[in-house]
Amino acid sequence: MMNSFADSFRGVSDVKAMIVHRNADELADAVAQRIAVLAADAIAMRGVFRVVLAGGQTPRGYYRRLPDMPVDWNNVHVYFSDERCLPLGDAQRNDSMVQQALLDRIDLPFRNIHAIHAELGARLAAADYAARLAHAMPFDLVLLGMGEDGHTASLFPGNPAMQLTDVAVPVYGAPKLPAERVSLGINTLNAARNKLFAVTGAGKSEALWRIARGDQLPAAMVKMAEWHVELAALTDAQIERSA
Ligand SMILES: O=C(O)[C@H](O)[C@@H](O)[C@H](O)[C@H](O)COP(=O)(O)O
């Protein structure tokens, strides 16, 4: 049953790969190793690795493992998939989480960190980020998570931000608080050389099932991504499907 679910997921949503991991720890190990490989490849080929970091909880697991990986941090530039419009340093900001889980523990030059100035408000911060990204694209890797409703970055189902073609977009009325956010636009995510979803938690099974069925959820609009999914996030989807 798991294989047939994974197969239908691969087929319907244009995915590059779907890898199921037994638990969140194994997923975090595999994703951290994958990032290290992609970093080494990009640095060998182009001298630099430009990676977009995801927010939310799942990435903490693989961020914490990255300091133990053989990554040439001097040649890595980090960007953010989205940010919450909260004051600088707020614990709920994605850059605060990344700082604590990763940046405080590696020697990454400060100039290589490209945060979203979401404290300026969504409109201004999105325009500022788009201008600053002009020379950074296409990214080598975009790391993403998926919410229970199928959102990714801060692109939520039915939200007008999903239709915008700008490099970075303002988001208002997000159902996951805070309501005001800044996100990379869907075209920016799609333009990256590699896209990687890390999905943990049983609460994600319905969204995975809907994507496998062909629903155009925001996460499904990121094409040719490699999906790393915890088994627990698939279990209910399989049960539901076989019922
Ligand atoms: O700012 C955010 O909240 C995110 O960037 C968001 O898109 C996140 O990746 C998903 O909601 C999954 O979050 P979890 O990994 O915590 O389930």
Side-chain angles (χ1 to χ4, degrees):
M1 184 50 71
M2 187 173 83
N3 282 343
S4 69
F5 179 82
D7 285 347
S8 57
F9 187 90
R10 288 180 190 114
V12 175
S13 57
D14 284 332
V15 310
K16 185 172 168 188
M18 186 197 212
I19 299 138
V20 181
H21 301 277
R22 275 188 297 192
N23 54 51
D25 277 343
E26 291 189 11
L27 180 146
D29 285 339
V31 171
Q33 282 169 26
R34 187 79 183 114
I35 294 168
V37 166
L38 290 170
D41 286 354
I43 292 169
M45 272 188 285
R46 289 178 294 276
V48 61
F49 178 56
R50 299 186 196 280
V51 58
V52 174
L53 303 177
Q57 294 305 312
T58 307
R60 282 179 191 271
Y62 59 80
Y63 291 158
R64 286 202 180 111
R65 285 160 170 81
L66 280 174
D68 299 326
M69 299 282 153
V71 175
D72 172 11
W73 293 108
N74 271 322
N75 290 313
V76 175
H77 282 252
V78 303
Y79 302 82
F80 291 79
S81 65
D82 61 323
E83 191 53 275
R84 303 153 184 207
C85 293
L86 295 168
L88 205 58
D90 189 292
Q92 298 302 312
R93 279 180 63 130
N94 288 332
D95 56 9
S96 301
M97 181 276 287
V98 168
Q99 186 73 40
Q100 192 195 39
L102 177 64
L103 303 181
D104 281 347
R105 304 172 53 222
I106 56 174
D107 281 325
L108 184 70
F110 184 70
R111 63 177 181 282
N112 294 13
I113 303 169
H114 306 271
I116 302 176
H117 299 319
E119 65 281 3
L120 300 175
R123 199 163 304 278
L124 215 57
D128 166 72
Y129 208 43
R132 287 160 53 215
L133 294 184
H135 301 293
M137 291 170 59
F139 296 111
D140 295 303
L141 172 64
V142 172
L143 295 164
L144 293 165
M146 181 182 72
E148 296 181 3
D149 58 357
H151 78 259
T152 192
S154 282
L155 300 173
F156 291 84
N159 190 290
M162 190 61 210
Q163 309 307 324
L164 301 175
T165 53
D166 308 77
V167 169
V169 301
V171 179
Y172 301 97
K176 182 179 179 183
L177 296 176
E180 187 176 342
R181 292 158 170 259
V182 176
S183 182
L184 294 186
I186 186 69
N187 293 346
T188 310
L189 302 179
N190 270 316
R193 294 190 171 96
N194 296 281
K195 303 139 227 180
L196 186 157
F197 278 94
V199 179
T200 60
K204 310 288 174 62
S205 62
E206 191 192 331
L208 287 170
W209 167 227
R210 287 181 61 191
I211 292 173
R213 217 174 43 189
D215 284 8
Q216 303 289 291
L217 295 174
M221 303 309 286
V222 179
K223 303 298 181 189
M224 294 310 289
E226 96 182 46
W227 288 71
H228 290 259
V229 180
E230 178 195 16
L231 185 58
L234 277 186
T235 311
D236 289 354
Q238 294 164 52
I239 291 166
E240 208 178 301
R241 190 166 191 250
S242 58

